[in-house]
Amino acid sequence: MKTLILLALVAVASAVCYDGYQALRVEPANELQLDFLNTLKNELEGKISFWSQPRTTKRPTDILVQPRFQDDIKELLDAKQIKYSVMIDDVQSVIDSQARSEDDVKIGADFDYSMYHTYEEIQAWVFEITAAHSAIAQQFQIATSTEGRAINAVKISTGGIGTKKAVYWQGGIHAREWVSPATVMFITKSLLENYGVDSDVTEILDAFDFYIVPSLNVDGYSYTWTRDRMWRKTRSVNSGSACRGVDPNRNYEYEWGGEGASTSACSDTYRGPNAFSEPEVAGTTSFLLNANQEFVCFIDFHSYSQLWLAPWSFTARAILPLDKDDHDEAAAKAVNALASVHGTDYIYGPSARTLYAASGCSEDWGYVTLGAKYSYVVELRDTGRYGFLLPANQIIPTGEETYEAVKALCKHMVEEYK
Ligand code: 0X9
Ligand code: ZN
């Protein structure tokens, strides 16, 4: 007992504490104000953390500020007449209020989709859900992380004659975006449970093979449970730097190292020493390229902002892809179906123009290198009230609406490819 208490204390003592940290919503109104925010970002790297990138006046930028810088930052913003508001007043109290009671944790056949789950529980879920639907689902390990963790995947295949076109979805590429793995698990079980029950789902699963990875950045995700709830990147060691981790969503080979990716190991958008330096990204992509299937859909689920984003991610300046109209049409169907469930509004469009440019991202790789026509990055709930700290009571509603969205997208693809 004594040892247990001691262990619990050690775990708490070594965790990063966000007491008094505020999340500020900053709304730059012009290029000058944007430039100022970018200077601030570069100069205060490591002291304040940007939850979203200050690259457009179309959307706000959310920043996490520790107590001792709050007065100074607000003074600076006031001096530059940049509009801001306090989105979360005390980040730690939100984190604390979301701590789950371990007695309530339900896994196995009773897996509780309404709570967030640890790395171990998610990987075990892959075994359980595929065992429960073994006629059409199998589990396999798609890759291994830097720290040696297994990254498990679900394959859904209802059989039939010949090789089918395929769909790939992944969650959890950014560690702190907890609603992403939770949603990917929810939509996966919903598809599996509705095969042979809902005629749309039956048609969809009969038309395509599915490969689904609920949690890709497993080291980072584990770290958010034990040490730092706000961790984003992988946990790899960067030679010559005390800062750990690479942004896996800047580490894909397509247009690696361009706009919106940092060369600094301490940055949250660090691109890594080279493309595919991260085994989580290298492993999953090489699996897909060697799967001997024609992929028509690639979705990388993130949070937050409620966006359904298509290529290009790497720049806002390039001519949009030839498939642009089809990307829009299918995305419109997805977000309309999504809104019909709980009224949640999403915006869709090409990533770099709708949000900001980011090179070396998953969706461009999915579109160009993998050749999946319907390649998207989806930013799930919310629009910033809780940001990455989305309360667990929103997991099921997020799952329900996202399930309708992906069904609408898949129906669109069934029509197109039949
Ligand atoms: O910056 C990212 O990797 C994604 N946003 S997040 O807050 N989840 O980190 C967005 C990637 C989408 N692509 C572009 N914005 N170009
Ligand atoms: Zn993300």
Side-chain angles (χ1 to χ4, degrees), residues 181-201:
T183 303
V184 171
M185 288 191 287
F186 185 92
I187 60 183
T188 304
K189 76 106 185 175
S190 302
L191 285 175
L192 288 169
E193 284 176 354
N194 283 298
Y195 182 66
V197 176
D198 171 332
S199 58
D200 286 339
V201 173

Side-chain angles (χ1 to χ4, degrees), residues 174 177 232 249-250 302-303 313 351-352 355-356 358 363 379:
H174 286 144
E177 298 165 11
R232 165 185 168 96
N249 202 28
R250 301 293 182 277
H302 291 244
S303 73
S313 176
S351 306
L355 191 56
Y356 47 73
E363 84 198 86
E379 297 276 2

Side-chain angles (χ1 to χ4, degrees), residues 51-53 174 176-177 232 247 249-250 269 302-305 309 312-314 351-352 355-359 361 363 377 379 388:
W51 279 1
S52 45
Q53 305 306 311
H174 286 144
R176 62 194 173 190
E177 298 165 11
R232 165 185 168 96
D247 183 349
N249 202 28
R250 301 293 182 277
T269 55
H302 291 244
S303 73
Y304 59 95
S305 286
L309 303 170
W312 302 116
S313 176
F314 75 99
S351 306
L355 191 56
Y356 47 73
S359 57
C361 278
E363 84 198 86
V377 156
E379 297 276 2
F388 304 119

Side-chain angles (χ1 to χ4, degrees), residues 11 14-18 92 95-96 98-99 116-120 122 147 149 172-181 215 217-235 268 388-389:
S14 54
V16 177
C17 176
Y18 288 97
Q92 188 61 42
I95 295 175
D96 292 343
Q98 296 184 353
Y116 291 113
H117 287 279
T118 62
Y119 160 75
E120 288 79 10
I122 294 174
E147 293 179 338
R149 290 184 179 83
I173 192 170
H174 286 144
R176 62 194 173 190
E177 298 165 11
W178 283 11
V179 76
S180 163
S215 177
N217 177 8
V218 289
D219 294 347
Y221 188 75
S222 299
Y223 195 72
T224 61
W225 277 79
T226 54
R227 298 294 166 93
D228 182 353
R229 176 63 183 86
M230 289 304 150
W231 190 257
R232 165 185 168 96
K233 300 188 286 180
T234 62
R235 290 294 301 158
D268 257 350
F388 304 119
L389 298 172

